Amino acid sequence: LWNWHQQHDAQLDELWSQWSKVRSASPNDEFPGEVVFQKIMGTYATLKPAYDSFTNKLATELSPEQIEAIKEAWSHKQGMTRTYKAYLQIVPDLTDAQKKVIYDQLLMALEDAMLTDHDREIVNFYKCHKLKVQAFIGKLEWDKLYSDFVNRAKTR
């Protein structure tokens, strides 16, 4: 991890800077930020095989619960569990299928956060995935509002 970051941190710093810049230029349009985020993930893709090898080796010595505890601790206060529980409190009427979509998105944030030891990048990884969760929740609200609208129109 350290050696890889020595070779790629300058490129990642530039990409994360671009990500922040395009997001602040278009606060209501996350698409430009998503384009840059995909470039960031393309850079991190070269580290993923080493990460997978590391976690596979861990799995020979630790239980899945212990590995998950390490991952949760690595992501510091962002924490997948803490963030997931907050979404369940914010939107308490989610179905199990909707909860799974949110859980899976945050699981991706947790896995992405494992690729760095820079706090700012960990926060940014979670931010990227939380934006997708919030878009999903917004779509659920839109679907509910639209359904209510259609039902009201039928009763007229």
Side-chain angles (χ1 to χ4, degrees):
L1 180 70
W2 190 85
N3 287 338
W4 185 92
H5 274 279
Q6 291 297 306
Q7 295 173 7
H8 295 89
D9 274 352
Q11 178 186 11
L12 288 169
D13 287 346
E14 174 60 29
L15 287 169
W16 281 117
S17 177
Q18 288 176 22
W19 179 79
S20 294
K21 185 177 180 180
V22 298
R23 288 190 68 247
S24 64
S26 305
N28 295 322
D29 182 6
E30 292 299 334
F31 185 75
E34 180 63 21
V35 170
V36 177
F37 181 65
Q38 292 306 314
K39 292 177 185 177
I40 291 167
M41 293 311 296
T43 302
Y44 270 108
T46 63
L47 179 59
K48 194 80 168 104
Y51 168 72
D52 290 340
S53 174
F54 171 69
T55 55
N56 288 337
K57 288 176 186 174
L58 275 181
T60 65
E61 298 187 31
L62 301 175
S63 71
E65 294 80 17
Q66 290 172 311
I67 294 171
E68 291 308 311
I70 290 169
K71 290 177 180 181
E72 188 75 24
W74 189 268
S75 65
H76 308 295
K77 68 180 179 182
Q78 286 296 310
M80 182 191 152
T81 303
R82 180 184 147 288
T83 305
Y84 177 68
K85 287 180 179 178
Y87 279 119
L88 296 184
Q89 290 175 350
I90 293 167
V91 191
D93 59 344
L94 294 167
T95 66
D96 288 343
Q98 293 165 340
K99 289 177 186 177
K100 180 163 178 22
V101 169
I102 292 169
Y103 182 88
D104 289 346
Q105 189 66 48
L106 293 174
L107 185 59
M108 285 189 266
L110 178 70
E111 290 297 324
D112 289 348
M114 292 297 297
L115 299 174
T116 186
D117 63 348
H118 300 295
D119 289 340
R120 181 179 58 89
E121 287 182 29
I122 291 170
V123 168
N124 286 345
F125 275 129
Y126 270 88
K127 198 176 289 184
C128 290
H129 290 283
K130 286 164 58 174
L131 289 168
K132 293 173 185 175
V133 169
Q134 291 162 12
F136 175 69
I137 290 170
K139 182 189 177 316
L140 294 176
E141 185 62 23
W142 169 256
D143 290 347
K144 181 179 180 299
L145 291 170
Y146 185 75
S147 176
D148 292 347
F149 169 76
V150 170
N151 289 336
R152 282 192 310 273
K154 287 179 183 177
T155 60
R156 289 184 194 175

